[in-house]
């Protein structure tokens, strides 16, 4: 099964304030997110992280080694610490800037940033993205909300729990 989430920002103290996350410390935030991943995603499942895994965390390996599933990274603007660390890179099944997959017979385009028109848009393909967090006043948020086949899978809007494509479709907009 495939699961999706973006913008974990593990180790990033300021994201608690900037995104109004309900945590009192980095440690609480990090452990809550890691626990929710491990409780939701089985070891044989794929977790697609749509960017910004860990920011200003020093060594992302301390988080990666705690996650017990197959991980794929869609590179975000804050993933330089992973790209520069061969040990960190080894925890991922794949690392790419953009990925198109088939999930239960449905075409899904994965990108860290929201795209106004994606590959397969006119053929019913889905687009999952992050980057905008829970900033609902952002003009891009309002713009993207008009499209039926795309979702922001940022951790902030998913209550820090990875989701499947079918869960997103069932929930709707």
């Amino acid at each position: 099964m495939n699961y999706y989430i973006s913008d974990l920002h593990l180790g990033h103290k300021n994201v608690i304030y900037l995104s109004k996350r309900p945590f009192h410390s980095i440690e609480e935030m990090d452990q809550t997110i890691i626990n929710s991943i491990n409780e939701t995603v089985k070891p044989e499942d794929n977790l697609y992280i749509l960017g910004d895994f860990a920011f200003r965390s020093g060594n992302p390996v301390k988080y990666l080694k705690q996650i017990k599933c197959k991980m794929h990274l869609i590179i975000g603007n804050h993933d330089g610490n992973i790209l520069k660390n061969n040990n960190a890179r080894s925890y991922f099944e794949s690392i790419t800037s953009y990925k198109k997959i088939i999930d239960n017979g449905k075409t899904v385009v994965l990108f860290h940033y929201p795209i106004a028109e994606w590959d397969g848009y006119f053929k019913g393909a889905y687009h999952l993205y992050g980057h905008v967090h829970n900033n609902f006043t952002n003009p891009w948020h309002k713009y993207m909300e008009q499209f039926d086949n795309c979702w922001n899978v940022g951790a902030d809007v998913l209550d820090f729990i990875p989701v499947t494509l079918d869960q997103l479709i069932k929930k709707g907009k």
Side-chain angles (χ1 to χ4, degrees):
M1 186 165 293
N2 295 325
Y3 288 85
Y4 308 92
I5 196 163
S6 180
D7 300 286
L8 304 177
H9 282 264
L10 298 171
H12 184 194
K13 183 177 182 178
N14 283 343
V15 79
I16 295 171
Y17 166 75
L18 294 170
S19 294
K20 297 176 179 56
R21 290 186 172 186
F23 306 111
H24 300 295
S25 68
I26 296 173
E27 294 77 20
E28 178 189 6
M29 176 182 74
D30 294 348
Q31 206 53 61
T32 298
I33 293 171
I34 291 168
N35 288 346
S36 78
I37 290 170
N38 288 333
E39 290 167 6
T40 305
V41 185
K42 295 178 182 142
E44 64 273 13
D45 292 336
N46 291 296
L47 175 63
Y48 289 90
I49 301 168
L50 278 67
D52 296 357
F53 175 77
F55 183 56
R56 298 187 184 190
S57 65
N59 186 3
V61 171
K62 70 180 180 181
Y63 305 115
L64 291 165
K65 67 182 179 182
Q66 295 178 63
I67 297 175
K68 307 299 180 198
C69 62
K70 294 185 272 183
M71 293 180 284
H72 303 265
L73 179 64
I74 310 303
I75 301 167
N77 54 306
H78 294 301
D79 288 318
N81 57 347
I82 291 173
L83 299 177
K84 295 174 188 173
N85 183 326
N86 286 336
N87 191 18
R89 292 172 64 92
S90 73
Y91 282 85
F92 292 97
E93 303 286 319
S94 66
I95 299 176
T96 185
S97 295
Y98 174 98
K99 194 167 190 86
K100 183 174 162 183
I101 65 168
I102 303 297
D103 185 341
N104 286 333
K106 299 172 186 82
T107 301
V108 185
V109 171
L110 308 172
F111 195 51
H112 179 63
Y113 306 97
I115 307 171
E117 186 177 305
W118 51 93
D119 188 12
Y121 171 83
F122 292 106
K123 295 179 180 178
Y126 295 85
H127 170 41
L128 305 182
Y129 63 91
H131 186 67
V132 295
H133 290 260
N134 55 353
N135 183 356
F136 300 120
T137 61
N138 182 320
W140 272 105
H141 172 76
K142 294 174 193 265
Y143 179 77
M144 296 305 289
E145 279 296 304
Q146 69 182 315
F147 300 107
D148 291 332
N149 284 10
C150 71
W151 283 273
N152 174 1
V153 294
D156 302 297
V157 299
L158 298 180
D159 293 325
F160 311 98
I161 302 168
V163 294
T164 66
L165 180 63
D166 289 340
Q167 287 174 312
L168 291 168
I169 293 168
K170 184 177 178 180
K171 179 180 125 185
K173 286 289 182 168

